[in-house]
Amino acid sequence: MSKIFDLEKIKEKVIENLKKVYDPEIPADIYNLGLIYEIKFEEKENYLYCEIDMTLTSPACPVADSLLEQVKYVTLAVDEIDEVRVNLVFTPVWDPSMMSEDAREIMGASGAAIPFY
């Protein structure tokens, strides 16, 4: 018997987990910073594969490897997901206009200087 996946609910769980991942130098989570570009799923029989396209605030980010590992870890923590691939992309190039309003407020409250586009 095949599993029936509710991909919208699973995506919500992934997003909830991604909101727990922070760049150690920035007081906002990577999802609200706008670093997650796409979350895709592929179903094969009873197997659910997840692919995430994400970027960094800077291509020279010193914690890139640990952020990618954290994204993979928290995504695999969603029970329905069997495998995940995290793709690091730089198109489009990230800029502060991609942040959510919540991230802007957090950054402002922390005293972080960010340009607004």
Side-chain angles (χ1 to χ4, degrees), residues 49-106:
Y49 178 80
C50 180
E51 188 167 0
I52 297 177
D53 291 347
M54 69 171 289
T55 194
L56 303 169
T57 56
S58 163
C61 177
V63 294
D65 289 342
S66 68
L67 283 177
L68 293 172
E69 283 302 313
Q70 287 179 61
V71 168
K72 185 174 182 177
Y73 179 80
V74 301
T75 303
L76 281 172
V78 175
D79 289 337
E80 297 87 346
I81 295 175
D82 297 297
E83 188 174 337
V84 65
R85 177 181 175 150
V86 181
N87 302 314
L88 186 57
V89 299
F90 292 102
T91 304
V93 174
W94 181 87
D95 71 64
S97 71
M98 296 173 170
M99 293 190 302
S100 71
E101 192 58 40
D102 287 345
R104 290 179 198 282
E105 288 176 17
I106 291 166

Side-chain angles (χ1 to χ4, degrees), residues 19-75:
K19 288 181 176 180
K20 297 174 185 172
V21 178
Y22 288 77
D23 180 317
E25 298 176 343
I26 301 174
D29 68 81
I30 64 168
Y31 188 82
N32 280 302
L33 280 172
L35 299 181
I36 303 299
Y37 286 168
E38 189 170 16
I39 301 169
K40 303 173 274 197
F41 298 100
E42 184 179 348
E43 298 174 67
K44 290 186 179 177
E45 297 180 21
N46 291 333
Y47 192 80
L48 186 61
Y49 178 80
C50 180
E51 188 167 0
I52 297 177
D53 291 347
M54 69 171 289
T55 194
L56 303 169
T57 56
S58 163
C61 177
V63 294
D65 289 342
S66 68
L67 283 177
L68 293 172
E69 283 302 313
Q70 287 179 61
V71 168
K72 185 174 182 177
Y73 179 80
V74 301
T75 303

